[in-house]
Amino acid sequence: MISRKLCLLGAFAVGKTSLMRRFVKGVFDERYITTLGVKIDTKTVELENQTAKLVIWDIEGADPADRENQLISSRMKAYLAGTDGLLLVADGTRPVTIDTARAIYRWFTAEFPSVPAALLLNKSDLVDEWAAGEGCLDGFDGLLQCFTTSALSGENVERTFLYLAEALTKDENRADGDS
Amino acid sequence: MTDSRNPGDRSEAAELARLRALLLGDEKKRLDRLYQRVTEPEPRTGDVAEVLPGAMNRVADDPVAGPQMERPIVQTIRSAIKRDTESFAEALFPVLGPAIRRAVADALRSLVQRINVAMEHSFTAKGLRWRLEAARSGVPFGQVVMRHTMLYAVQEVFLIQAESGLVLASARREDTLLLDKDAFSAMLTAIQAFIQDSFGAAGGEPLRSAELGDRTLWLINGPRAVLACVIIGSPPHEVREQLMDALETLHSQYGDQFSGAPELVAAEPGVNAILQETLLGETVEPAQDSRRSRSRLIWAGAGLALLLVLTWTAWTAWTDNRLEHRLARLFESEPGYVLTRHDMRDGQFHLAGLRDPLARPPAVLIGETGVDSERVSLGFHPYQSLEAEMIERRLRAALGDATNLELEFDGAGLAVRGALTSAQFAMLENLPGLHPVIRSVDLSQARLSAAEAVEQARAQLSAPPSVAFAASAAGDRIEVAGAAPVGWFAAASERSLPVGGWALDFEPLRQSLGSRLSELERGLEDSVVQFSRGLRMTPDSQTRMESLARDLAELQDLAAGLGVEIEIQLEGYADGVGAAEKNLEIAMSRARAVHSALKDRGINPDLLVLAPGHWEGGAADPQQRKVVVQITREPAR
Ligand SMILES: Nc1nc2c(ncn2[C@@H]2O[C@H](COP(=O)(O)OP(=O)(O)OP(=O)(O)O)[C@@H](O)[C@H]2O)c(=O)[nH]1
Ligand SMILES: [Mg+2]
């Protein structure tokens, strides 16, 4: 069985941990317990023509208040090392988190040019407060895909993870050497 | 753009050039080419490359120029290393590591201190403690023992991709618990990253070991992969070196693949073989070099010996007790024995009581218990047992040959089945009243022995010696066979009564008589009495008349004895010359003549029937002057 590393990254409180819990354990928790460092879990998934074990790294959230060059701490960089795919998470009810995601994405594509990344606009269940609108995808050039998800209802969660897993296992040109 | 020089200068230069061209011609072109070659780098590089190897060789051999040449090269390498330490370290890692460690190990070998695992406990106490521990923790007992008796063991190793934390390959002992190795190694890598980020500058010393409950985690760091080893116990330092060796070997052989897809590395059999070899371990061996442990060993030995002696004593006492009871039980249940006392003294078993002389010998019984007969002393007095089995045994002894007899004793009555001699009959018939227990004897199922029955039958029937009596193959009757006058047969079979419980079967004798009858019938059929002329028999026929009459007499007796009704027909014939009436008359006369001749010789005239034969008239045939004898059996009425 093949195994691949997947990272969840985004501003804090956007629902990274909740998304991972929903995907791996199928449960949701209202409580917010901020992640320090990183949380790791694994899940074996059946893809189109193989079984893969996803090792998912739920990395602590970035602070949108930080200036762009401080957004990604050296610790976060170390956690991202060797990742095969990135799930960039933003909170659809807070446009500022999309800006953070955009800044992270800009940095990420420069640092890991060949690693696929997808954007998740989370909390789609909060329809009344939804604020992501036109133009929110500007500046995400080369993005694999953008999904609206909800860790609460489970909408699109499984689909998003599997989509990225499929993309990064199909990618035969995985860097073979230094990246 | 303005030129400061005057136009005259310019024309002068042009003139000169033209002059040069006239004077030098082709030479100039060659010069230009040479100039070009010297000033442009591309052709020059080619030229130098052509001569460089030779020149280098010569410089290297030159004692003066050699060192001069080295200096800039070394300097270049040094600054290159300073600029890009990592790629050099990576390149040298497989080479330098082993060399350095080997040197250090040689120097330290005598100093390397083996961590002493505390083994100061008695066997039982320790075992008990471990069992308690196993019960408390839910860990299998075997694993608890291993945890304690292994000085150390590398239980599980993971080869982890340094960057991603993905597991490249892993190996584990069979007896370890499984964990999610992917999550585990990813977490390790995250911890590494965290520590490196929090406490050290980038490139600082990474995490080398950690405690995981009762296990130790060792991380052996390589440039592209990390070897994580889960260890129990306290391994000596060499183990770490061996693990480093393994990681170096892995790097030098498979390092190129370590950054690629992890599943490709796992598929390499060589990787797994090397990882298997890293599952090092050492079990506890008794320390031999300290005096304290030696004396402890002696005490332990003495204790063990004492324990053995105690165990042995207890064991023999226990087995002796068991044997004594086994012996007692056997003698108590054996017919013909009454056990009044049994005990065990000075290693001897004592048994005392009563024994019927007809009971099985004590040696046989002792043999069945497996006890050495030398260790058993007996004190039995004789008596007569009234147990059913012993009564039967005694009876059989009194009857003599009684192996084919079935005796059934129900406590009061005795039933006998089988063949007895008349003496045995007499004895058994007289038994009730004499015997202390047997009140009645049932002989209805018994009979005389075959030999005696035969003698009795022969005497009762006054059988001629030619008659044979024998018990049938089935043993249910006495068959009468052989030869006998049919008169005797008739009389004997008539009043045949069972003899000594045996039925007499005359069928064999009847059959032999019957076949004699058939034989006579066949021989007499178509017998001819020839006449010469008129009523005068030929001389030949006159003599034959005697034997004919004798056979017919026997036939008549046999038929009478066997109850077969026969008819002897005398058919008269004539030669056919003359009138038919005359012929018939003479034919009947001839039959009458034979009739009276036979009657005279004792043949019962009631059996004789006269009849005219059939013959053709008109042709004289002297052969037809005859009487033909025909025998017919009367159909059963
Ligand atoms: N309504 C709604 N709430 C959500 C959803 N996902 C997460 N939340 C809530 O948002 C809060 C933060 O969720 P987390 O999953 O802890 O966020 P995080 O991104 O891991 O935060 P950090 O670890 O601090 O970076 C929690 O109270 C969750 O219950 C969602 O899809 N819908
Ligand atoms: Mg979190």
Side-chain angles (χ1 to χ4, degrees), chain A:
Chain A
M1 191 181 18
I2 67 168
S3 52
R4 292 292 183 263
K5 174 174 175 179
L6 255 184
C7 287
L8 284 159
L9 205 55
F12 55 69
V14 293
K16 299 181 292 296
T17 305
S18 303
L19 284 165
M20 181 168 81
R21 269 168 63 81
R22 164 63 71 188
F23 175 60
V24 175
K25 302 213 166 70
V27 294
F28 177 78
D29 191 345
E30 284 287 341
R31 283 174 302 166
Y32 171 39
I33 299 161
T34 190
T35 306
L36 296 174
V38 66
K39 257 184 93 153
I40 293 164
D41 218 328
T42 65
K43 179 161 171 143
T44 305
V45 291
E46 291 298 333
L47 300 178
E48 244 169 58
N49 42 22
Q50 63 189 328
T51 310
K53 185 162 192 178
L54 300 180
V55 181
I56 306 163
W57 293 50
D58 163 29
I59 300 171
E60 60 193 353
D63 188 348
D66 274 337
R67 273 182 299 149
E68 208 164 292
N69 60 346
Q70 289 174 354
L71 209 53
I72 311 288
S73 69
S74 59
R75 198 153 68 211
M76 282 155 84
K77 277 181 206 165
Y79 294 148
L80 280 168
T83 193
D84 296 296
L86 178 70
L87 286 169
L88 207 50
V89 187
D91 183 344
T93 66
R94 288 187 292 147
V96 64
T97 63
I98 304 178
D99 296 335
T100 309
R102 191 179 292 114
I104 294 172
Y105 183 70
R106 198 174 304 140
W107 169 84
F108 185 80
T109 45
E111 202 83 1
F112 301 88
S114 58
V115 177
L119 177 66
L120 283 72
L121 296 175
N122 193 36
K123 310 195 184 178
S124 64
D125 54 293
L126 302 174
V127 196
D128 296 345
E129 300 157 48
W130 198 252
E134 239 167 79
C136 74
L137 285 182
D138 291 349
F140 283 102
D141 305 327
L143 191 70
L144 193 66
Q145 185 61 279
C146 174
F147 296 91
T148 56
T149 58
S150 169
L152 186 149
S153 72
E155 187 204 348
N156 275 347
V157 176
E158 177 110 351
R159 185 171 156 218
T160 306
F161 275 90
L162 291 183
Y163 185 89
L164 187 66
E166 201 74 70
L168 59 88
T169 51
K170 271 205 190 105
D171 182 14
E172 295 299 320
N173 322 321
R174 199 191 133 105
D176 192 65
D178 301 3
S179 48

Side-chain angles (χ1 to χ4, degrees), chain B residues 240-290:
Chain B
R240 190 168 187 111
E241 283 164 26
Q242 276 168 283
L243 294 172
M244 286 170 119
D245 272 337
L247 185 61
E248 272 147 21
T249 314
L250 285 169
H251 263 88
S252 64
Q253 290 180 14
Y254 305 98
D256 292 346
Q257 300 176 36
F258 284 179
S259 307
E263 62 273 13
L264 299 179
V265 178
E268 286 282 353
V271 171
N272 290 308
I274 293 173
L275 287 186
Q276 279 297 332
E277 279 171 26
T278 60
L279 297 173
L280 302 159
E282 197 175 323
T283 47
V284 171
E285 41 192 301
Q288 290 149 348
D289 44 6
S290 95

